[in-house]
Amino acid sequence: MREPIPGSVPSLRGLRILRARLRALNSNTLNTLLVKPMKISIIGTGYVGLVSGVCLSEKGHHVTCVDVAPEKVEQINRGEAPFVEPGLPQLLKRNVGKRLRATTDLAGAVLGSSLTFIAVGTPFDGSQIDLTYVRLAARQVGQVLRRKKSYHVVVVKSTVVPGTTDEVVRAVLEKASGKKAGRDFGVGMNPEFLSEGEAVHDFMQPDRIVLGGSDPRAIRALRGVYRPFHNVPVMATTSKTAEAIKYTSNALLAALISFSNEIGNLCAALGGIDSVDVMEGVHLSQYLTPRLPDGQHHRAPISAFLRAGCGFGGSCLPKDVNALIARGRRAGCDMGLLSEVIRINEGQPRRMIDLARRHHRSLRGKRVTVLGLSFKPGTDDLRESPAIRLCQLLHRAGARVRAFDPVAMPAAKRSALFPHVTYAKTLAAAARGADVIMLVTSWDEFKRLPSLLRGMRRPPVVVDGRGLLSGAKLTNYEAIGLGRGDGR
Ligand code: NAD
């Protein structure tokens, strides 16, 4: 087939072919034609670093992902995602070897790019945020900047307490590079709001983009990174405010969850009230379910955080709230409300045990099945999952603990988090012979539980930590926030 010659009048057939080809291009491929691609390096290929790298390459940029773990790097270069995240394998396969690659060579990646994101972990060390990885990454990047001739922008994407980018990262970069920020290189802060299990969707269709920094050239470069994202509010502010926006967003969600848990615990104590009904009535308020101009009622997604359960976990909410409390206290603030948020959360797994004890005074020797190990559905991330604390408490109470999770069992077996737990191969096997079943993660598959238990001669007690089975007809059903009887 002959291609139309540029400048010549295309034939009717040529036009038809061109139109068919344009139709075949998806919007992201079109982006690569319309957007000025940038060369970007990302330090750290965890949930944030890899998802950002894959999505930015899908949007048309050339991305090099850097990690210290060679096996992770090889996996990524083979087109295999190192963790479970819906949609990630497809986008990774599509871009790896084209606009995306992974390497352990940090210096090569920084030299070959014009902007570097730092996306390494920022754990909580028990008393404050641990910046070891951020400092190390900043020092390594700074050492490369020492010999880099062209202008470069360094952007903190890790979640760091307010002041870190300007007071710590900038200083480390200047010292290691021997150069001046704002003159020889740029520094910025760009918090990430993705949520595991929906990370690809959240990154590709963000609700907001927050760009922090006081250097106009760095902000301009960051705007270039996000140019392929259309109809998204972009907020440019200082790095310190950008850092505070991220923490405040997480603290709000954590506070809503603990608020709901306190109400749920109250309903359980008072008796005769189901907190699901209470929250349903609260949800109908115009603040949470406003009436739109067309007369329809629209439920705000934040309503999802207003339900009682066995507590929040994950790599962000617990550590971020703790880090904010620690930072606030160092600044002389009481942080009483957020301290309570954590205290209530840590008490929720024990509520599951209390509910089981309504049926079995002692759990010693009882066969207890824990359904769900990951901290939420859609991921195999076990970090700070309520299942960890629950399994510890059950073991201490003398129970024989068996677990089932449709996705996270390989990760659980690799980890040292569940030392006293045995694993069932299927949901049906997990349910068989159990005295108590405790539902911790709201995987869809667990909705099949009532049908699996139907007809059992000695049905187990079901303790629902997510309100997933509320409404299902189950004998011996208990749920957090479900007030039975007249209360105490
Ligand atoms: P992670 O622990 O999954 O990944 C961090 C990666 O960085 C690891 O693969 C590690 O090997 C690598 N690394 C550490 N130091 C390095 C170095 N010097 N050079 C190269 N690689 C290095 O972490 P994550 O969950 O992706 O979180 C990263 C940051 O993003 C944290 O600050 C976190 O709070 C924040 N965040 C996380 C989420 C989330 O849902 N996981 C969402 C928003 C923000």
Side-chain angles (χ1 to χ4, degrees), residues 146-402:
R146 187 175 276 275
R147 56 194 160 105
K148 190 166 184 205
K149 299 262 182 321
S150 54
Y151 180 80
H152 196 90
V153 179
V154 184
V155 180
V156 177
K157 207 170 211 348
S158 299
T159 304
V160 290
V161 290
T164 305
T165 302
D166 287 341
E167 290 153 29
V168 179
V169 175
R170 184 186 164 119
V172 172
L173 284 166
E174 287 187 333
K175 186 159 178 234
S177 65
K179 292 181 174 176
K180 185 100 189 84
R183 187 190 65 199
D184 308 319
F185 65 92
V187 181
M189 204 283 145
N190 170 223
E192 182 49 59
F193 298 98
L194 65 77
S195 158
E196 284 173 32
E198 293 130 84
V200 170
H201 170 270
D202 290 349
F203 198 97
M204 295 299 272
Q205 275 121 41
D207 44 16
R208 65 203 133 150
I209 292 167
V210 176
L211 308 178
S214 48
D215 173 358
R217 206 168 161 193
I219 294 289
R220 245 195 334 272
L222 262 172
R223 282 190 192 279
V225 171
Y226 288 102
R227 199 150 292 135
F229 295 77
H230 307 295
N231 297 325
V232 185
V234 177
M235 179 176 174
T237 181
T238 62
S239 291
K240 204 167 185 174
T241 304
E243 290 160 342
I245 289 170
K246 172 66 192 172
Y247 276 95
T248 308
S249 304
N250 278 358
L252 172 67
L253 300 181
L256 283 177
I257 296 170
S258 281
F259 166 77
S260 310
N261 286 339
E262 182 147 285
I263 298 294
N265 297 340
L266 175 70
C267 291
L270 295 179
I273 320 172
D274 184 346
S275 69
V276 172
D277 296 336
V278 173
M279 288 306 179
E280 181 61 28
V282 174
H283 285 162
L284 292 174
S285 129
Q286 59 166 324
Y287 302 117
L288 293 165
T289 308
R291 194 197 297 259
L292 299 179
D294 65 2
Q296 298 282 331
H297 287 91
H298 175 75
R299 176 156 296 188
I302 201 153
S303 302
F305 292 85
L306 284 173
R307 59 177 29 236
C310 58
F312 58 78
S315 67
C316 289
L317 293 195
K319 91 167 167 65
D320 291 350
V321 176
N322 274 314
L324 194 62
I325 293 169
R327 182 69 192 90
R329 286 199 179 138
R330 271 204 294 133
C333 295
D334 175 51
M335 306 304 284
L337 179 97
L338 291 181
S339 306
E340 273 305 292
V341 165
I342 292 292
R343 194 190 62 78
I344 292 169
N345 192 55
E346 288 176 350
Q348 289 309 101
R350 181 160 287 286
R351 300 262 163 193
M352 302 279 283
I353 309 265
D354 294 344
L355 291 172
R357 286 216 170 106
R358 288 181 177 178
H359 301 258
H360 298 287
R361 200 173 307 159
S362 166
L363 293 180
R364 185 154 301 279
K366 292 280 179 281
R367 285 162 302 183
V368 179
T369 287
V370 172
L371 291 184
L373 296 172
S374 60
F375 82 96
K376 63 182 281 198
T379 177
D380 62 350
D381 196 346
L382 303 162
R383 290 178 283 185
E384 303 281 334
S385 169
I388 301 170
R389 172 115 181 93
L390 179 64
C391 289
Q392 283 166 354
L393 291 172
L394 286 168
H395 173 68
R396 248 180 258 157
R400 288 145 63 191
V401 189
R402 185 168 46 178

